[in-house]
Amino acid sequence: MPEGHTLFRLAREQHARFAGREVHVTSPQGRFAAEAELVDGRVLDEVTSYGKHLFAVFGPDVVHVHLGLYGKYTTGTGPPPEPRGALRMRWEGPGEDGEGVWTDLRGPTACELITDGEVRLVLDRLGPDPLRRSDPGRAWARISRSRQAIGALLMDQSVLAGVGNVYRAEVLFRHRISPFRPGRAVTEAEWEAVWADLVVLLRAGVRAGRIVTTRPEDRTRKRGAASRADAHYVYRRTGLPCRWCGTPVRTEEMVGRNLFWCPTCQAV
């Protein structure tokens, strides 16, 4: 599932390509056809993201998208390709320089037309977003009272918005916190350090367009961009030696997703 930095980049890209211009909105698949007709030909005001949600504002109406596990956008210039398969929503516009641009959405969990008030209801259900000017104290209020494992709490979007499986595993490793530790056993100082690190990591993800959590000194190649094999400490490294202590990285399912951790560096 795309994490918060991906949605932030998508919002920025769509805003740059389409905002301030009339957008031709269609639903070749038909599942969004009635809603697409309502905004078709209208000027797009802005596209923003919060956590894993996208909001495209057409006056009083907002197209809300949540990609979920399988949702994906593809974008191009010039005439769009012939629609194929389950194409939920297509945008077409003149582009900044007059050259045609388009973007296609397939497989989202949510693609719906909502009002400003309904946008607020969505946002009210979400925790603070490290990519926004959010109050980390709201997340701490939930974490500090919870018996639930911190690894599960970080995946709960009502606790913290935009953090997914990769950032969850990596930030807990970077701070030597067991993912199985109850939230209420995490200290406030530890949470503040985790939040500050998430702000840095997600912003780096926005800039790079990928998630890199390792420090240069912990990589095989110490200089230059991190290779794919060197990008993470524990995520998808089951059975490989921990970069810090050499213990094999372990995995098991937590809240429906594979969790990765070092049992030595992150002892309970």
Side-chain angles (χ1 to χ4, degrees):
M1 180 184 294
E3 305 203 22
H5 73 289
T6 299
L7 278 299
F8 190 96
R9 284 174 62 91
L10 275 171
R12 188 170 63 182
E13 176 186 275
Q14 291 182 1
H15 185 89
R17 288 175 178 265
F18 294 98
R21 292 176 283 278
E22 293 181 356
V23 182
H24 180 36
V25 183
T26 58
S27 179
Q29 178 195 51
R31 288 183 58 184
F32 188 65
E35 295 90 341
E37 187 175 348
L38 290 174
V39 295
D40 181 34
R42 285 162 57 177
V43 173
L44 174 67
D45 298 317
E46 64 174 347
V47 184
T48 62
S49 71
Y50 191 95
K52 299 182 180 184
H53 297 258
L54 276 178
F55 302 96
V57 180
F58 292 87
D61 297 311
V62 181
V63 176
H64 167 230
V65 171
H66 188 286
L67 293 179
L69 280 172
Y70 305 109
K72 184 179 181 181
Y73 277 102
T74 55
T75 301
T77 58
E82 189 69 21
R84 295 174 183 265
L87 178 49
R88 183 76 57 88
M89 181 174 66
R90 168 173 281 179
W91 289 2
E92 299 174 66
E96 238 178 356
D97 55 6
E99 182 182 20
V101 295
W102 55 270
T103 188
D104 287 349
L105 172 65
R106 298 176 185 273
T109 295
C111 177
E112 57 184 352
L113 195 63
I114 62 178
T115 64
D116 285 342
E118 290 170 317
V119 169
R120 177 46 54 191
L121 290 176
V122 172
L123 295 177
D124 286 346
R125 295 196 298 266
L126 300 174
D129 179 349
L131 285 172
R132 299 295 177 183
R133 291 183 177 177
S134 301
D135 176 14
R138 289 196 294 124
W140 171 244
R142 291 277 303 275
I143 292 168
S144 63
R145 297 194 303 265
S146 180
R147 292 184 173 88
Q148 193 173 18
I150 186 64
L153 290 166
L154 292 187
M155 293 287 281
D156 184 341
Q157 297 299 295
S158 70
V159 175
L160 190 63
V163 170
N165 207 23
V166 186
Y167 285 118
R168 178 226 349 223
E170 294 296 293
V171 78
L172 290 176
F173 175 84
R174 284 166 62 100
H175 293 270
R176 296 180 178 268
I177 297 173
S178 168
F180 303 99
R181 191 194 301 182
R184 64 181 187 176
V186 175
T187 69
E188 188 169 9
E190 286 175 322
W191 166 244
E192 289 174 350
V194 165
W195 171 267
D197 206 18
L198 285 170
V199 171
V200 171
L201 291 173
L202 267 79
R203 286 178 178 174
V206 170
R207 291 192 301 270
R210 60 190 292 233
I211 301 177
V212 176
T213 56
T214 52
R215 300 178 178 91
E217 61 268 25
D218 296 325
R219 302 172 192 158
T220 304
R221 186 173 62 189
K222 309 299 182 186
R223 296 184 180 181
S227 67
R228 185 173 181 177
D230 270 351
H232 306 135
Y233 284 106
V234 291
Y235 180 72
R236 288 189 174 175
R237 298 191 69 245
T238 306
L240 295 176
C242 172
R243 298 184 189 278
W244 288 353
C245 74
T247 302
V249 172
R250 292 183 59 186
T251 185
E252 71 174 61
E253 188 174 299
M254 178 182 279
V255 292
R257 304 295 300 278
N258 285 333
L259 168 73
F260 304 87
W261 83 102
C262 171
T264 299
C265 293
Q266 298 171 269
V268 177

